[in-house]
Amino acid sequence: MADTPRTTFLTVAEVADMVRVSRMTVYRWVHAGELPAVRFGRSFRVPQQAVEQFMEQAALAGGIPVEDDGRATGTVG
């Protein structure tokens, strides 16, 4: 029986730490279909290779696009 490469899965928290974004951002990427994930019960697992490809594509495109949430930025007062 040949050795088959095993896929390493990461939690949403691990992906967020790896990419240095919030967990909610990772959930948004998963739900938008931008980052593939597998659902285990109530949680998601993301293949490590998918994260690496996602970041490589983002780097080639000049970064990850930020969604405009409609809130104004600046000083309060």
Side-chain angles (χ1 to χ4, degrees), residues 7-8 10 15 18-19 29 33-37 46-65:
T7 302
T8 302
L10 303 171
V15 174
M18 187 176 178
V19 184
W29 291 339
E34 297 175 30
L35 186 62
V46 182
Q48 184 173 357
Q49 185 177 6
V51 176
E52 293 166 1
Q53 288 175 344
F54 180 77
M55 293 308 297
E56 185 176 310
Q57 289 174 350
L60 292 174
I64 300 169

Side-chain angles (χ1 to χ4, degrees), residues 17-56:
D17 287 342
M18 187 176 178
V19 184
R20 300 185 59 94
V21 297
S22 72
R23 288 180 297 171
M24 185 54 68
T25 299
V26 177
Y27 281 118
R28 286 185 190 121
W29 291 339
V30 169
H31 288 292
E34 297 175 30
L35 186 62
V38 178
R39 190 169 189 137
F40 288 101
R42 295 180 60 192
S43 62
F44 288 96
R45 297 292 186 268
V46 182
Q48 184 173 357
Q49 185 177 6
V51 176
E52 293 166 1
Q53 288 175 344
F54 180 77
M55 293 308 297
E56 185 176 310

